[in-house]
Amino acid sequence: MSRQAALLLLADGRLPAGGYAHSGGLEPAVAAGRVTDMPGLERFLIGRAQTTGLIAAAFAAAACARAGRGDFSDLPDLEAELDSRTPSPELRKISRDLGRQLRRALSSIHPDPRFEALGAAPHQPIVMGVAAAVLGLAPQEAALASLHESNSGAAAAAAKLMPVDPFNVHAILARMTSRLDTLAAKAAAAAEGPPADLPSPGAPLSDIAAEHHRRRDVRLFAS
């Protein structure tokens, strides 16, 4: 499989890994009135990319670097550090649920013993990084796949949550491509460092919203 095709496969929203059931925090933001129009959606996606998106990308890049050389000695530290950057219990659970589903999907598509080193409930970004390494991708490509998956998933949910024109939504995604490239490079630059030194920009409102969303009686998305 070529690197380009592998990257497209990993970033494909149709991959049966459960991401389509999540809005990336957009549903609670819309319900609370914080996102009401296209400029608000663009601000939401930019903010998400630069906070939780960057964290996920950095951990995906770090996991890819370690899986690429077959060194899982600090995998428990990666898991613990990602836990510490995810204050919401609900978001930690979702990350691990999606991690299990992504591992199942990629293990079926491209079996590899490195998936077995991930334990029973790995975080989704860490599985993304290992999957990238298994498919022959570099840490920066793992980071970019993670950012794209995070960004496009939330954008796709907008069509079900808001009265939007899909062309306008994709125009936002097009404007964000350079930003995602820059964030992927930043994530990859930190990948070889100690897990404790990986980026940790906070998004406390997202954590609070996730806990409120979990208690809603009616919702379209799991998060």
Side-chain angles (χ1 to χ4, degrees):
M1 183 184 298
S2 73
R3 289 170 67 106
Q4 293 91 341
L7 181 58
L8 290 172
L9 173 67
L10 196 57
D12 190 343
R14 295 167 296 182
L15 187 68
Y20 46 80
H22 299 266
S23 74
L26 181 62
E27 184 171 14
V30 170
R34 291 191 295 273
V35 177
T36 60
D37 53 20
M38 295 307 297
L41 176 62
E42 186 160 9
R43 289 192 297 270
F44 174 87
L45 292 175
I46 290 172
R48 175 173 168 77
Q50 294 183 159
T51 54
T52 57
L54 176 59
I55 290 173
F59 278 82
C64 181
R66 286 152 176 79
R69 60 176 181 266
D71 178 11
F72 287 95
S73 59
D74 65 353
L75 180 60
D77 293 332
L78 281 178
E79 290 277 350
E81 289 294 335
L82 189 46
D83 269 341
S84 73
R85 287 161 174 77
T86 315
S88 163
E90 178 68 4
L91 291 183
R92 290 198 297 272
K93 176 183 180 298
I94 288 166
S95 178
R96 293 186 182 279
D97 288 346
L98 290 175
R100 285 194 296 267
Q101 291 179 71
L102 180 60
R103 179 178 58 184
R104 179 183 178 188
L106 267 296
S107 294
S108 298
I109 294 167
H110 199 297
D112 189 281
R114 281 171 287 186
F115 288 121
E116 299 172 6
L118 289 171
H123 276 294
Q124 194 263 6
I126 293 175
V127 180
M128 178 74 79
V130 173
V134 167
L135 294 174
L137 299 174
Q140 186 163 339
E141 292 168 317
L144 186 58
S146 178
L147 284 160
H148 174 79
E149 185 271 340
S150 173
N151 207 40
S152 62
K160 296 181 179 180
L161 297 169
M162 303 167 61
V164 298
D165 184 334
F167 292 108
N168 292 335
V169 175
H170 276 75
I172 294 174
L173 295 179
R175 288 194 292 272
M176 290 185 66
T177 53
S178 295
R179 188 185 301 270
L180 297 190
D181 284 339
T182 299
L183 290 171
K186 182 176 181 179
E192 292 289 357
D197 291 345
L198 291 171
S200 56
L205 193 56
S206 295
D207 292 286
I208 294 169
E211 294 301 311
H212 289 170
H213 186 68
R214 177 172 63 87
R215 294 173 173 85
R216 287 179 62 89
D217 293 330
V218 179
R219 55 184 179 174
L220 293 177
F221 295 92
S223 70

